[in-house]
Amino acid sequence: MATNGLAGREQELEAKQRLERERSDRPDQEPEPELAQKHEQAREETISGSEALLRGLLAEGVDCVFGYPGGNALYIYDAMTGNPAFKHLLTRHEQGAVHAADGYARSTGKVGVCIATSGPGATNLVTGIATAYMDSVPLVVITANVPTTVMGTDAFQEADIVSITMPITKHSYFVRDARDLPRIVREAFHLAGSGRKGPVLIDIPKDVSNRRVVYRPYEEELSLNGYEAAPAIDPAAIDELLAAIAEAERPLIIAGGGVVYANAASELLAFVDRTRIPVATTLLGLGGLPSSHELWLGMPGHHGGYAANTAIQNADLLISIGARFDDRVTMKLDGFAPRAKRIAHIDIDPAEIGKNVKTDIACIGDIKDVLDYANAAASPARAESWIARLRRDKADFPFRYRDSETELKPQYVIEMLHRTTRGEAIITTDVGQHQMWTAQFYTFNHPRALITSGGMGTMGFGFPSAIGAQLGNPERLVVSINGDGGMQMCAQEMAVCAIHNIPVKIVVINNQVLGMVKQQQEIMYERRYSQIDLAGSPDFVKLAEAYGIKGLRARTKAEAERVWQEVLDTHAPVLVEFMVPTEENVYPMVVAGTTLDRMIMGDLG
């Protein structure tokens, strides 16, 4: 029987209502597409740019950030109060923060992270950024900046830190949109920690750090236009190197910091054992080959050993592995390695090939990959008579000094540190004579055991870098060796060790003078001494005690042995001051402008 239109519409409405009731009784059923989108939006989390930054850092596995707050960084620091998983160490100066992040990175192989506010906070990081850049250390440096609304007006604490640091960073980010932070953090860590490593800057205006955004973790595959982390190795070039080794009678390897940073120490050891080629390790390369190895010659260059420098000047094949032919290694370029028929260079950075020294064989790529390929086919060089000659040189002209029973010599102190720690400590140094004595008399058998500023030669680096190394290696003994000059540049960081009971052992080699400057003025400037007297420095023992740290002092060998044992028995930070003669110099020494075979041996040559 037919129904009229009204009845039909009523039936249709009743059917719809019944269908909706059935759907509501089945919550597991998929909702309509529009309804699903509304539900998804309701589940999306809205957070500040600062919180997005912290989450990005945690996603990268960051376990400690070193920093110092200020007005334009306060949204970032405020976000830390709501994120208990985020660990931050408050240093007493921004330079202390960046050096601590550097020490953490060098000793662990991870990316170090530091934070500072705008203006003077950011510019106080510049020396540390340059230090990391020169030595290829992976850092992510985060700076706050003034709000975008006042940029360019000379606002309070405004500085264009991106432009200031452009020559000393691997890459820089200026964050305009808080939604980009998850991607930027991910890219920054990738850039800092891959290829030839280095510092990356992230500059965040204050208003961007406070902007509310829908948080979406960056989970896409990274693809950075124009960036190649490591060029593919060229087997033909490596084969050419192996052929040159087979023909060489006086081959030599110079191994640099690139071996350490590439985690290629085991591959280098295998290569040396297979080819039977002697090795000199640069300052940053110390520990890249065990110093106990029979073919290790020591450190070459300005204050290098006789055997290493003589080997360079007489080698017929010179192979640089992760060393950039720094001027402190080559000294006068016109006269460097004059008997080398061929020079080979293994490096991840093509820009280093031929930059300072003409290269005949270029093996570009990750050092691990290059050596892995080479080790599969490497065979011994014809170098046994050469090895015997270099062994005699090393035995006849070791690093040595004129000991004393009435004075405490700095070299004796370094030997004592090595003997009592069995060479197993992580050693950080500042810059100066004590740095060179450490390189000469504390021999290293493991990579990442020496933390020191090489290319930049930054005074003030040694002690704060030890804080970072200790936090990155809590089970290791960390010893920071400093001069009385450099120690005063970051001494305020003793407060950090005291408050957090960071058990760094702080050594001050106190000769009451700017020792390396004095030595150069003595030898190169006819003893015209100028502005080097540090005799008015503070009492370091009392200074340590003022910060809440035990302080000890030694003036003789017997006192040195006794107080150092007390240091080792103390499970807390300790400062120990060793009073040493002002007149002591570092030898051998090659004067700037002369060749490696013109070594000044001192009165022991």
Side-chain angles (χ1 to χ4, degrees):
M1 181 173 64
T3 59
N4 60 29
L6 180 60
R9 285 195 297 274
E10 289 176 346
Q11 289 175 358
E12 183 179 350
L13 180 60
E14 186 177 322
K16 278 187 175 182
Q17 290 173 343
R18 186 170 60 251
L19 181 60
E20 288 178 4
R21 284 195 300 272
E22 290 174 355
R23 283 176 174 171
S24 65
D25 291 339
R26 291 178 292 176
D28 57 328
Q29 184 166 326
E30 289 292 325
E32 295 286 347
E34 291 183 5
L35 193 59
Q37 187 176 1
K38 289 179 181 179
H39 288 170
E40 180 64 28
Q41 290 173 347
R43 286 197 298 268
E44 287 180 336
E45 187 179 10
T46 301
I47 63 174
S48 70
S50 296
E51 180 61 26
L53 170 68
L54 302 191
R55 292 190 187 187
L57 295 175
L58 289 172
E60 295 297 327
V62 173
D63 52 22
C64 185
V65 170
F66 306 88
Y68 201 96
N72 287 313
L74 288 185
Y75 287 124
I76 297 173
Y77 278 83
D78 186 57
M80 294 180 194
T81 65
N83 195 332
F86 191 82
K87 305 301 181 186
H88 177 280
L89 187 79
L90 174 64
T91 58
R92 293 303 182 265
H93 192 284
E94 291 89 354
Q95 189 166 330
V98 66
H99 290 332
D102 186 313
Y104 175 94
R106 294 189 200 225
S107 63
T108 64
K110 301 176 184 178
V111 177
V113 184
C114 62
I115 299 179
T117 192
S118 64
T123 57
N124 279 342
L125 299 174
V126 170
T127 297
I129 296 171
T131 300
Y133 183 77
M134 283 286 278
D135 290 350
S136 303
V137 178
L139 296 184
V140 168
V141 179
I142 300 163
T143 53
N145 215 323
V146 299
T148 56
T149 53
V150 297
M151 280 189 170
T153 68
D154 291 332
F156 179 66
Q157 292 190 334
E158 179 182 4
D160 183 359
I161 194 63
V162 170
S163 296
I164 290 170
T165 60
M166 193 168 290
I168 53 171
T169 52
K170 190 173 177 181
H171 190 70
S172 296
Y173 290 93
F174 176 74
V175 184
R176 293 177 171 82
D177 190 334
R179 291 174 296 183
D180 292 333
L181 275 165
R183 172 185 59 82
I184 286 173
V185 170
R186 179 93 179 277
E187 290 180 0
F189 274 79
H190 176 65
L191 286 167
S194 63
R196 181 174 182 174
K197 300 172 177 61
V200 174
L201 179 80
I202 303 176
D203 191 39
I204 309 173
K206 186 174 185 179
D207 53 332
V208 174
S209 69
N210 189 42
R211 194 161 296 148
R212 306 293 295 184
V213 294
V214 173
Y215 178 68
R216 292 187 177 90
Y218 190 77
E219 297 173 345
E220 300 175 27
E221 185 175 346
L222 281 178
S223 178
L224 304 179
N225 291 333
Y227 178 67
E228 184 179 35
I233 65 171
D234 180 2
I238 304 172
D239 290 341
E240 184 181 2
L241 171 60
L242 295 177
I245 291 172
E247 298 173 359
E249 296 180 350
R250 302 186 310 278
L252 178 71
I253 292 170
I254 300 178
V259 172
V260 176
Y261 299 149
N263 297 316
S266 60
E267 287 78 8
L268 175 63
L269 176 61
F271 184 70
V272 172
D273 286 341
R274 282 173 169 79
T275 59
R276 299 286 298 163
I277 298 177
V279 181
T281 45
T282 69
L283 177 65
L284 295 183
L286 291 173
L289 184 78
S291 59
S292 56
H293 196 282
E294 59 168 332
L295 296 178
W296 183 70
L297 299 178
M299 181 180 72
H302 182 44
H303 288 293
Y306 180 89
N309 283 348
T310 300
I312 290 174
Q313 295 301 89
N314 289 283
D316 63 356
L317 173 64
L318 190 61
I319 307 168
S320 170
I321 305 180
R324 57 187 177 84
F325 293 112
D326 172 336
D327 59 292
R328 283 296 179 102
V329 169
T330 63
M331 302 308 291
K332 185 181 180 182
L333 277 172
D334 182 14
F336 172 74
R339 298 185 180 181
K341 298 175 182 176
R342 307 189 80 181
I343 294 179
H345 195 169
I346 302 174
D347 206 288
I348 197 169
D349 186 357
E352 290 297 340
I353 305 298
K355 186 179 78 173
N356 295 326
V357 172
K358 181 181 178 296
T359 302
D360 303 296
I361 305 171
C363 299
I364 303 170
D366 186 280
I367 292 173
K368 283 177 74 75
D369 295 339
V370 172
L371 292 181
D372 270 337
Y373 180 92
N375 285 333
S379 56
R382 297 178 296 159
E384 288 308 315
S385 60
W386 167 244
I387 291 171
R389 171 182 168 182
L390 296 179
R391 280 179 178 159
R392 287 194 299 272
D393 286 343
K394 187 177 179 183
D396 292 344
F397 299 99
F399 290 121
R400 53 187 172 178
Y401 60 98
R402 193 177 299 282
D403 202 0
S404 171
E405 294 305 317
T406 59
E407 294 180 309
L408 179 60
K409 291 296 185 78
Q411 302 94 326
Y412 178 88
V413 172
I414 304 301
E415 286 182 326
M416 179 189 70
L417 300 185
H418 181 270
R419 168 170 43 83
T420 55
T421 63
R422 298 180 297 280
E424 294 297 319
I426 293 176
I427 303 293
T428 77
T429 82
D430 211 81
V431 172
Q433 287 180 314
H434 69 277
Q435 179 190 33
M436 293 297 101
W437 284 319
T438 300
Q440 292 177 346
F441 292 97
Y442 194 108
T443 50
F444 297 88
N445 282 318
H446 307 289
R448 301 191 185 278
L450 174 63
I451 311 299
T452 193
S453 171
M456 189 57 61
T458 303
M459 290 182 69
F461 171 85
F463 174 44
S465 70
I467 295 174
Q470 186 71 82
L471 290 180
N473 302 268
E475 303 305 317
R476 297 281 300 276
L477 172 65
V478 176
V479 180
S480 178
I481 304 175
N482 307 270
D484 48 323
M487 186 63 203
Q488 294 181 74
M489 293 191 175
C490 281
Q492 71 279 348
E493 304 306 331
M494 281 194 281
V496 178
C497 284
I499 292 167
H500 300 284
N501 196 33
I502 301 172
V504 173
K505 312 310 180 191
I506 309 162
V507 170
V508 180
I509 305 292
N510 189 350
N511 60 2
Q512 302 184 70
V513 71
L514 287 173
M516 194 61 83
V517 179
K518 177 200 72 73
Q519 179 167 340
Q520 293 188 34
Q521 289 178 346
E522 177 181 321
I523 295 172
M524 300 163 61
Y525 294 85
E526 299 176 340
R527 298 180 182 269
R528 293 191 298 274
Y529 300 121
S530 177
Q531 305 302 317
I532 57 172
D533 186 5
L534 295 180
S537 298
D539 182 322
F540 286 102
V541 172
K542 290 182 178 179
L543 184 63
E545 291 171 347
Y547 279 110
I549 290 177
K550 178 189 286 188
L552 301 167
R553 180 180 291 114
R555 299 179 184 274
T556 67
K557 285 183 178 180
E559 288 178 351
E561 297 282 350
R562 177 180 56 79
V563 300
W564 180 244
Q565 188 57 52
E566 185 176 347
V567 170
L568 294 178
D569 293 339
T570 303
H571 301 292
V574 187
L575 180 145
V576 56
E577 180 183 30
F578 295 104
M579 305 302 297
V580 302
T582 300
E583 298 76 20
E584 198 72 16
N585 284 336
V586 182
Y587 293 112
M589 177 182 179
V590 180
V591 175
T594 62
T595 54
L596 289 174
D597 51 356
R598 299 288 301 277
M599 286 170 279
I600 300 173
M601 301 299 292
D603 59 357
L604 299 174

